[in-house]
Amino acid sequence: MTNRPATMPMPMPTVRRAAGLFAGLALGLAVLAGCSSQGASTDCSVDACTVTFDRGVDARTTILGVEAKLVGAEGDQVTVEVAGEQLTLTTGQQAAEAGGFGVTLDSVTDQQVKIRVARNPGS
């Protein structure tokens, strides 16, 4: 009878663990950042995004799985399309609903329009 020493499972190398964590974070950030953007920048969390549209261009982006685009702006009133629904917003107005999202207008300048798009918890 041969006595073999008990083998202990080898712990996963730290490098492999770090690579897996990095890959998961990169995928999560890609989902949060949106698929594409033209004339707009985004800042997203898990359930909300702030979108800054450049005025005077065809500004649009994909966030939280839906497209958001700037249709027009005049004075403090802005028309946007979110999830296929057009909304006219003014600064300070309560959130308007579009496709299960609450949309608010944060600010309007001569160069940019900033909106916030958040998932509605009851949808």
Side-chain angles (χ1 to χ4, degrees), residues 32-71:
L32 290 176
C35 299
S36 62
S37 189
Q38 176 181 328
S41 61
T42 61
D43 180 18
C44 293
S45 66
V46 174
D47 61 354
C49 288
T50 299
V51 180
T52 304
F53 294 109
D54 295 333
R55 290 181 66 171
V57 299
D58 180 25
R60 62 184 66 225
T61 189
T62 302
I63 52 165
L64 303 170
V66 298
E67 183 178 67
K69 66 181 179 178
L70 178 62
V71 176

